[in-house]
Amino acid sequence: MKKIKMGIVVVFCLMLFGGSLATLLLPRKEYSVVENRELAQKPAFTKKDFLDGSYQSQYETYLSDQLCFRDQWVDLAVNLELFLGKKDINGVYLGKEGYLLEKNEKTEFDDGQVQENIESLSTFLNDAVEVYGENHVSCIMIPSKAEVMTNRLPSFATPLCQDAVLVSLQQELSAPEILLDVCEELKKHQEEYIYYRTDHHWTTLGAYYAYAKWAEETGQASAFALEHYRREEVFNDFYGTTYNKVHVKVPMDCVELFHNSGEKGISVTFDDKEKSDTMYFYKEASKGFNRYNVFFSKNTFQVEVNTKAKTGKTLLVIKDSFANCFVPFLIEDYERIIMIDYRYGKTPIGSIMSQYEDITDVLVMFNKEKFMQNTKLGKLAETGTDEKEETMEEFHMEDLEE
């Protein structure tokens, strides 16, 4: 028995010191595929940081992130929790039929930031209504998967309700009817494949139902029937961002495109630089894990889509990534679509509105939770045109939001 205990101690010490030595000697890793996030790098030593304790905290995070075989340890921890019967792991519910659903706990949201975002967005929407008219301005708040797919949640789960945010935003609007909550519309189709099982985004079918509801209610675009589109499955091996938080083996997702006649002859420009003749990027989406990148290849500050629609209409879209599979439904109605994502740039919205004097319509699209957590919406409130000569501001990687 003593020999067995001694053997355990020796193995533990070898793992501890061997792992520590390997961690120090092996090259630093910058990214974890399992966790889908950037890993902490060795912090620079400063006297100030050392005295206030922040250096020690940063160094501890650095050692944790750079631990040898970290991804395998994360995988092992998840499997252990599964073995113990847990139904929520690392902020994710293990739902029915292979669905992984984010918990979105209240502690993830800062009330001050939420209120600041409501003020920025309402300022922009009220000014947009004044400039373009309330019949040409709309805002879609997209619910989380857990809020819609309640039929896939474990029986004990209580998804966080964010209706108070919609109420607060609506109270700040001069034309409250421009705010569209598509949650109830999506719930009507919750038995269908409207959200990915392993990713936080809606599927193209889910985006279609929201588009049809928006078009019908606002009249800003044509509400085409589902049969209008030629559907193409381009990937069937998608494990998304939610999967990468828990690494639980569930069925892989499929990614689908809805083709229409408006795709012919379009041109797409990214940040006034890169150009393309398509909205769909198969090769780029095949790299890495994120098949959702088939829509517009990546998230970036400004994307301009020019079409052959000949309608005389230009749409300004203020968005997050949920809009990437929604916008293709609009190319038959707009000659030009300007997409702006404030997580990746700083140009005041007034400068963009001045640059594109042909704008006729405005659409804001945010996932509710991502909107509440966004820390980059200040420039959305700067609707004045006194910055007319200002163009796209330099963007620094350290400002990038995960």
Side-chain angles (χ1 to χ4, degrees):
M1 183 63 70
K2 288 183 178 180
K3 289 182 179 180
I4 292 175
K5 290 181 178 179
M6 182 62 69
I8 293 174
V9 171
V10 170
V11 171
F12 176 78
C13 290
L14 286 174
M15 290 176 63
L16 178 63
F17 293 108
S20 300
L21 183 62
T23 298
L24 292 172
L25 296 178
L26 289 174
R28 302 284 75 84
K29 295 182 294 181
E30 295 184 356
Y31 185 80
S32 169
V33 175
V34 171
E35 298 172 84
N36 183 37
R37 69 177 182 86
E38 303 292 333
L39 297 176
Q41 302 301 303
K42 187 175 181 179
F45 179 86
T46 66
K47 183 178 178 181
K48 177 180 177 296
D49 289 346
F50 181 79
L51 292 176
D52 66 19
S54 58
Y55 174 80
Q56 294 89 322
S57 177
Q58 293 172 36
Y59 201 87
E60 183 179 350
T61 302
Y62 156 70
L63 288 177
S64 174
D65 276 10
Q66 296 298 332
L67 178 67
C68 185
F69 304 119
R70 176 183 172 80
D71 288 350
Q72 288 77 9
W73 285 115
V74 170
D75 229 1
L76 180 62
V78 168
N79 287 326
L80 179 60
E81 291 189 88
L82 282 174
F83 177 76
L84 295 174
K86 290 198 67 174
K87 291 296 184 182
D88 61 290
I89 299 173
N90 200 21
V92 175
Y93 289 122
L94 308 184
K96 302 170 185 175
E97 299 178 34
Y99 273 82
L100 305 175
L101 307 100
E102 299 83 356
K103 290 179 69 173
N104 293 319
E105 297 180 283
K106 187 172 176 58
T107 54
E108 298 175 33
F109 307 99
D110 178 80
D111 291 341
Q113 185 65 61
V114 172
Q115 186 56 41
E116 183 180 321
N117 291 351
I118 289 172
E119 291 172 3
S120 295
L121 179 54
S122 60
T123 296
F124 168 71
L125 287 171
N126 288 339
D127 286 354
V129 165
E130 189 174 337
V131 173
Y132 305 109
E134 63 183 78
N135 292 330
H136 296 274
V137 178
S138 56
C139 176
I140 300 175
M141 281 295 178
I142 305 163
S144 69
K145 181 165 54 176
E147 193 173 354
V148 173
M149 308 295 282
T150 52
N151 57 331
R152 301 296 200 282
L153 285 168
S155 56
F156 68 88
T158 53
L160 188 63
C161 180
Q162 304 294 3
D163 288 346
V165 175
L166 296 179
V167 172
S168 296
L169 178 58
Q170 200 164 41
Q171 290 173 344
E172 297 293 327
L173 297 177
S174 58
E177 61 275 11
I178 69 173
L179 179 61
L180 179 63
D181 181 9
V182 295
C183 186
E184 291 307 314
E185 180 64 24
L186 291 172
K187 279 186 175 179
K188 294 177 185 177
H189 302 278
Q190 66 177 192
E191 295 297 333
E192 301 176 54
Y193 188 45
I194 58 172
Y195 281 83
Y196 295 112
R197 284 182 294 270
T198 70
D199 195 71
H200 63 290
H201 290 105
W202 55 11
T203 64
T204 319
L205 180 62
Y208 165 77
Y209 286 127
Y211 145 77
K213 179 68 173 178
W214 166 80
E216 179 185 350
E217 289 206 3
T218 67
Q220 284 185 255
S222 305
F224 290 112
L226 197 55
E227 295 74 22
H228 176 74
Y229 302 95
R230 179 177 64 84
R231 298 168 66 170
E232 178 192 10
E233 183 182 291
V234 289
F235 295 109
N236 59 9
D237 61 348
F238 180 28
Y239 277 131
T241 56
T242 315
Y243 167 81
N244 283 330
K245 293 180 180 179
V246 293
H247 236 228
V248 175
K249 292 297 181 184
V250 295
M252 290 183 285
D253 277 304
C254 300
V255 180
E256 193 176 25
L257 308 182
F258 283 36
H259 295 288
N260 61 54
S261 60
E263 294 174 21
K264 297 178 180 178
I266 71 167
S267 65
V268 182
T269 306
F270 298 89
D271 290 333
D272 292 335
K273 297 174 183 177
E274 303 173 49
K275 295 184 181 295
S276 176
D277 59 358
T278 181
M279 300 172 291
Y280 303 126
F281 294 81
Y282 307 88
K283 185 181 295 185
E284 287 78 0
S286 298
K287 301 172 183 176
F289 76 92
N290 197 352
R291 302 293 186 254
Y292 189 76
N293 280 345
V294 71
F295 303 102
F296 291 99
S297 173
K298 58 188 176 181
N299 288 311
T300 189
F301 175 58
Q302 182 172 328
V303 179
E304 181 179 326
V305 182
N306 287 280
T307 76
K308 301 292 184 180
K310 304 298 182 186
T311 59
K313 296 167 59 179
T314 295
L315 176 67
L316 173 63
V317 182
I318 308 298
K319 43 103 38 189
D320 61 23
S321 57
F322 275 73
N324 292 0
C325 67
F326 183 100
V327 166
F329 291 112
L330 309 177
I331 59 175
E332 293 177 284
D333 280 281
Y334 290 96
E335 282 190 32
R336 194 204 310 257
I337 301 172
I338 304 109
M339 303 160 62
I340 301 294
D341 189 334
Y342 269 108
R343 294 174 299 171
Y344 303 96
K346 299 178 178 179
T347 306
I349 194 61
S351 297
I352 295 169
M353 293 164 70
S354 298
Q355 178 186 354
Y356 293 98
E357 295 182 351
D358 59 336
I359 292 172
T360 57
D361 296 80
V362 173
L363 169 61
V364 173
M365 290 190 69
F366 287 121
N367 167 254
K368 276 191 278 189
E369 283 70 30
K370 299 303 180 186
F371 165 73
M372 293 167 65
Q373 294 172 326
N374 200 324
T375 60
K376 307 289 180 66
L377 292 179
K379 296 296 182 181
L380 184 58
E382 297 183 18
T383 56
T385 58
D386 55 326
E387 304 286 345
K388 188 169 182 178
E389 297 303 318
E390 186 175 341
T391 56
M392 193 175 305
E393 294 186 24
E394 183 180 359
F395 174 64
H396 300 284
M397 284 303 295
E398 60 265 25
D399 293 327
L400 182 63
E401 178 176 282
E402 295 297 327

